[in-house]
Amino acid sequence: MSTTAAAEESRKIVKEEVFELDGRKYTPDALYNLSPGVRRLLDRRILQESSNPLNLLKRRIVDYVHQTYRKPGNRSPLFTICESEPRVVTTYQNFDSLLTPEDHVSRRPSDTYYVNHEHCLRAHTSAHQHNLMQSGLDAFLVIGDVYRRDEVDRTHYPCFHQIEGVRLYSKDELLGKKPDGKNVAELFSTAASAATERSPEKQEKHTLDATKAAEIQLKQFLENLCDELFGKDAEKRWVDAYFPFTHPSWELEVFYNGQWLEVLGCGIMEQKLLESAGVTDKIGWAFGIGLERIAMVLYGIPDIRLFWSKDTGFLSQFAGKMPGEDVKYKQISAHPQVIFDISFFLPSTVQFNDMTSDVYDTIRTVGGELVEQVKLTDEFENKKKEKKSQTYRIVYRSHERALTKEEVNVIHKQIEQSLASSFGVTLR
Ligand code: DAH
C-alpha cells in the first residue's frame, strides 16, 4: 500500500456493531466517527509506559502535589489520584451542552469523537469533574488521555494527555473561624442587592470575599507548581480567560526559552455544576494542564508525534530517570539502528561493579558518534569455575547514513580488542 493509501485507510470509518472500551459496551449510531487510527491509539496507553517522557512528567507533578498538600489530621496526601476513569463519557459529562459555536474555547463539538448521540471519547479531563464530585471527593487530580479530531502536525495529534485538578472548600476551610466560632465572611451571597449579580469578578451565588479567597488559593497552588516545573526564576503572568464551566477564569503563561507559553486553564467552578453533583455547601476551583506542551519545552522534544515513538533511541533517553532530573532530549537519527552484543569473562580478581562504567566509557570512546545506546543486558557468575561474565548490547546508528553490518562489525571488533587489552577480559 502506498503511504497515501495507508493514510486513507487509517481514516476510513468502520462502524462496529458493539464498541467496547475500558470494560464497557456501547452501541454506535449514525454519529459514530472513530477512525481505525484513533481506535489503535486508544489501545496504546503511552502515559503508563515508564520510559515515556509523559510518564516522567506525570510522576513529577503527582510527587510534587503529594509532598506539598497533606490532610491536616493524618498527614496522608490530600489529593486523590484518578487515573482509570472510563474514557467514553456522556456528552453531558463532556460539557458539550455548555459549548456554543461562538465560544472562545479550544474545543468545539465538531472536534469530538462520537460513539453515538449520548457518548463520546472524553475531549478533556474536565469530563470527570461531575462524577468525582458526586462520589464525595473534595480534592482530586484526574490524569489521562483525551481525544480531539485534529489535523496531525508538529504540535497537534488526535490524542494528548491532561491533568485536571479540583479542590472544594467548606466555609471553615476557605475562610477560617474567629475565636468565637463565627466566620469572617460567607461563601454564598444572600443579600437582595447587586451582590447577587454575576459580574466579571464573581458568580451570582458567590460572595466576593469567597471568590477572592478561592482565587488566592488557586493561584498560589498553580504558581508553586509552575515554579517546581520551570524554576522559580521563570516569569509568569495571569491572563483573563473564558471557559464554560468556570467563572471567573484564567490562563497561566510562563516565559520560557524566550517565549510566552500557555501552561494551563483554570477558574472558580460554576456553582450549578457543584449543585448538579449534589454539593451545596462548598465552593471550588479547577484547572486543566496539557502534558505534551509542557513536556515538549521542558525536555526539548520538537514534535508531538515523538511521544508515540517506539524507537529505543528516543525512549532510552527517559528510561530510569528520576522525575526531578533535568533531562534534555537529543535528536535521534532517522536512519536504521544496527544492534550488536558483546560478551566476555571478567578477570578473576575484578568485581562486576568495578567493570561497568569502564566498559561504557571504552565503548563510547572507540565507537564515538556511531554508538547511540549501550546497555548491560546480562551478568552471571559460575561459582564453581570462578567465572564471571557480562553481556552488553550496543545500538549503532549514524546521523548521516544507513550503516551496513559490515562497517559496524569493523568498529565492533575494535571495541572488543580495546576491552581485552585495557581490562584483560576474555571474549566469549
Ligand atoms: N478543559 C479545558 C481544556 O481542555 C482546560 C480547563 C480550563 C480545565 C479551565 C479546567 C478549567 O478545569 O477550570 O481546554
Side-chain angles (χ1 to χ4, degrees):
M1 220 188 296
S2 73
T3 357
T4 35
E8 277 290 298
E9 181 66 30
S10 76
R11 272 199 291 271
K12 217 189 291 159
I13 288 155
V14 191
K15 194 161 73 189
E16 302 160 61
E17 282 294 312
V18 180
F19 178 78
E20 200 172 339
L21 194 74
D22 302 335
R24 298 179 185 207
K25 293 191 169 113
Y26 310 87
T27 310
D29 68 13
L31 221 53
Y32 185 89
N33 62 355
L34 272 66
S35 61
V38 162
R39 196 72 192 77
R40 275 194 296 277
L41 297 182
L42 281 163
D43 292 334
R44 174 98 184 265
R45 312 313 301 260
I46 56 172
L47 194 58
Q48 311 304 336
E49 295 175 8
S50 62
S51 311
N52 198 288
L54 295 171
N55 180 279
L56 195 62
L57 178 59
K58 173 192 87 172
R59 282 184 283 140
R60 182 155 171 193
I61 294 174
V62 170
D63 287 359
Y64 168 76
V65 170
H66 275 346
Q67 276 157 20
T68 317
Y69 301 94
R70 305 236 165 208
K71 289 186 182 150
N74 60 12
R75 309 283 305 144
S76 62
L78 175 66
F79 283 81
T80 303
I81 309 297
C82 309
E83 287 193 86
S84 42
E85 296 310 303
R87 292 169 291 168
V88 172
V89 295
T90 63
T91 53
Y92 170 78
Q93 289 174 308
N94 205 48
F95 293 142
D96 281 17
S97 56
L98 299 178
L99 298 176
T100 64
E102 301 85 56
D103 274 349
H104 294 286
V105 287
S106 51
R107 201 170 68 73
R108 293 181 304 271
S110 59
D111 294 338
T112 306
Y113 287 108
Y114 290 99
V115 175
N116 56 34
H117 278 77
E118 286 88 47
H119 296 95
C120 59
L121 299 183
R122 60 182 174 201
H124 51 172
T125 42
S126 306
H128 300 293
Q129 285 184 1
H130 180 91
N131 281 46
L132 293 168
M133 287 194 292
Q134 203 167 40
S135 74
L137 293 179
D138 275 352
F140 54 88
L141 300 183
V142 192
I143 310 177
D145 38 341
V146 301
Y147 295 82
R148 294 183 197 175
R149 297 172 71 193
D150 230 334
E151 281 308 306
V152 174
D153 63 26
R154 211 176 59 74
T155 53
H156 295 89
Y157 204 70
C159 170
F160 62 100
H161 298 79
Q162 289 187 326
I163 296 190
E164 185 87 7
V166 169
R167 172 95 203 257
L168 306 181
Y169 298 89
S170 67
K171 183 162 70 170
D172 289 351
E173 283 169 328
L174 186 64
L175 302 165
K177 265 203 255 190
K178 292 189 287 187
D180 64 4
K182 296 206 175 106
N183 298 95
V184 276
E186 294 296 323
L187 293 184
F188 303 110
S189 59
T190 44
S193 66
T196 57
E197 278 167 24
R198 179 172 287 245
S199 71
E201 275 82 45
K202 68 170 207 74
Q203 295 171 35
E204 44 279 63
K205 296 207 168 135
H206 295 161
T207 63
L208 191 57
D209 287 332
T211 305
K212 288 289 174 198
E215 175 181 342
I216 289 168
Q217 296 287 331
L218 168 65
K219 289 185 170 174
Q220 240 160 32
F221 181 99
L222 293 171
E223 287 187 23
N224 290 342
L225 175 62
C226 203
D227 285 351
E228 163 69 17
L229 296 175
F230 297 97
K232 286 207 180 349
D233 297 335
E235 208 184 326
K236 296 177 279 297
R237 71 181 181 200
W238 288 100
V239 181
D240 286 339
Y242 171 81
F243 297 103
F245 33 87
T246 46
H247 181 78
S249 308
W250 304 273
E251 278 167 359
L252 178 56
E253 298 184 346
V254 180
F255 198 72
Y256 194 76
N257 284 345
Q259 56 180 346
W260 284 103
L261 173 78
E262 185 193 310
V263 173
L264 57 87
C266 67
I268 307 300
M269 297 172 83
E270 283 288 351
Q271 200 59 30
K272 61 178 183 300
L273 294 176
L274 273 66
E275 285 165 7
S276 74
V279 179
T280 52
D281 54 352
K282 293 180 179 171
I283 97 166
W285 52 244
F287 67 85
I289 304 184
L291 288 182
E292 272 80 351
R293 192 189 292 211
I294 295 179
M296 284 172 81
V297 301
L298 275 186
Y299 305 133
I301 297 168
D303 191 312
I304 196 168
R305 288 165 285 203
L306 275 166
F307 292 108
W308 295 84
S309 169
K310 292 180 178 165
D311 193 312
T312 58
F314 176 74
L315 295 170
S316 66
Q317 297 189 34
F318 303 95
K321 297 285 188 224
M322 299 301 289
E325 246 178 279
D326 195 14
V327 184
K328 285 283 177 257
Y329 167 68
K330 286 187 222 61
Q331 187 95 35
I332 52 163
S333 159
H335 296 295
Q337 301 176 330
V338 177
I339 301 171
F340 276 50
D341 287 342
I342 210 162
S343 297
F344 50 75
F345 293 114
L346 277 61
S348 56
T349 52
V350 175
Q351 301 308 311
F352 282 136
N353 284 347
D354 300 337
M355 198 66 203
T356 316
S357 356
D358 287 338
V359 174
Y360 281 143
D361 279 352
T362 306
I363 293 173
R364 294 221 174 259
T365 309
V366 179
E369 283 288 281
L370 299 184
V371 173
E372 185 189 80
Q373 303 162 55
V374 193
K375 200 174 173 194
L376 175 66
T377 51
D378 191 35
E379 206 166 55
F380 77 85
E381 182 164 11
N382 184 329
K383 288 247 160 66
K384 250 199 224 135
K385 293 191 183 151
E386 288 196 348
K387 283 202 152 171
K388 290 192 284 290
S389 148
Q390 285 185 324
T391 301
Y392 291 81
R393 170 151 291 186
I394 308 178
V395 178
Y396 296 92
R397 177 147 69 174
S398 157
H399 278 278
E400 279 87 44
R401 61 186 194 285
L403 298 172
T404 65
K405 281 220 163 62
E406 289 70 29
E407 65 181 311
V408 171
N409 201 29
V410 175
I411 301 157
H412 197 69
K413 282 269 166 330
Q414 287 169 4
I415 290 175
E416 288 181 340
Q417 277 159 17
S418 177
L419 287 173
S421 62
S422 310
F423 308 112
V425 306
T426 315
L427 295 160
R428 296 175 48 206

